[in-house]
Amino acid sequence: MCRTKGQLSASSPGAISSVVAPVLLKFRVCRPRLLLAGSRAEVDPAADVALLHGEVLLIEDSARQYDAIGDTDRRYRATEKLLHAEEEYHETLCSAKELYARPLARSYPEFHDVIFQPFADLSRISAELCQRVLQEMALMSVLSKTFQSQLLFNTA
């Protein structure tokens, strides 16, 4: 993971994508994902640069690294993909809390729990699911490696 800070300057009107393009090329980002640093809310690359004034923009490469086990075990690869999708969903739920729940709590505290408690519950369940899937994948990995080593020793 590469962490680099830099300041980009741009003038409106102009798309965010045109400002970040040189950075993407420099760091060879294959599948860019633009996020606000505080909330981790996704940023539309086609949006005008004026929307980012005073904001910190994160650029992540959303190209996923997959375990080699998935090359031969389709169930493992499907589980990896499910985990990645669930992690993104969890991040989106947390982002909604940061972007909408906190400001609403300051302005209208009586509505906060009614509206956002289901999001908090979903976020907790999603995080628990990710943990369980990670544990199962670790077990699948150990079993796969054990099975492969047994095959190597039994073929003699």
Side-chain angles (χ1 to χ4, degrees):
M1 175 187 287
C2 175
R3 290 185 184 264
T4 304
K5 276 187 176 181
Q7 189 165 358
L8 301 172
S9 57
S11 58
S12 182
I16 293 168
S17 59
S18 63
V19 176
V20 299
V23 176
L24 302 179
L25 287 173
K26 179 180 178 180
F27 292 100
R28 297 184 179 128
V29 177
C30 299
R31 293 183 58 206
R33 186 168 176 220
L34 307 176
L35 307 163
L36 294 178
S39 65
R40 295 196 53 83
E42 285 205 47
V43 174
D44 181 3
D48 189 72
V49 293
L51 296 174
L52 291 180
H53 181 73
E55 294 286 345
V56 176
L57 181 69
L58 296 177
I59 302 172
E60 293 182 351
D61 193 344
S62 63
R64 296 291 184 173
Q65 299 294 321
Y66 292 106
D67 194 315
I69 295 168
D71 295 342
T72 56
D73 186 343
R74 291 189 328 213
R75 292 173 299 174
Y76 190 88
R77 181 58 43 84
T79 305
E80 278 183 309
K81 289 181 179 181
L82 172 71
L83 176 62
H84 293 317
E86 190 64 32
E87 287 171 335
E88 285 183 21
Y89 177 65
H90 180 257
E91 191 171 287
T92 301
L93 288 171
C94 291
S95 161
K97 177 183 171 187
E98 184 74 28
L99 282 173
Y100 305 111
R102 288 198 180 140
L104 183 69
R106 285 191 297 269
S107 303
Y108 303 98
E110 64 276 9
F111 295 117
H112 178 267
D113 288 345
V114 172
I115 296 172
F116 287 99
Q117 188 57 46
F119 284 96
D121 294 341
L122 276 175
S123 179
R124 182 183 45 76
I125 292 167
S126 178
E128 290 172 5
L129 177 61
C130 288
Q131 277 303 117
R132 288 181 62 190
V133 170
L134 276 170
Q135 290 170 350
E136 291 297 321
M137 287 178 65
L139 179 61
M140 289 169 69
S141 177
V142 168
L143 291 174
S144 176
K145 290 174 184 171
T146 303
F147 180 70
Q148 287 175 352
S149 65
Q150 286 177 346
L151 285 176
L152 290 173
F153 291 118
N154 290 336
T155 57

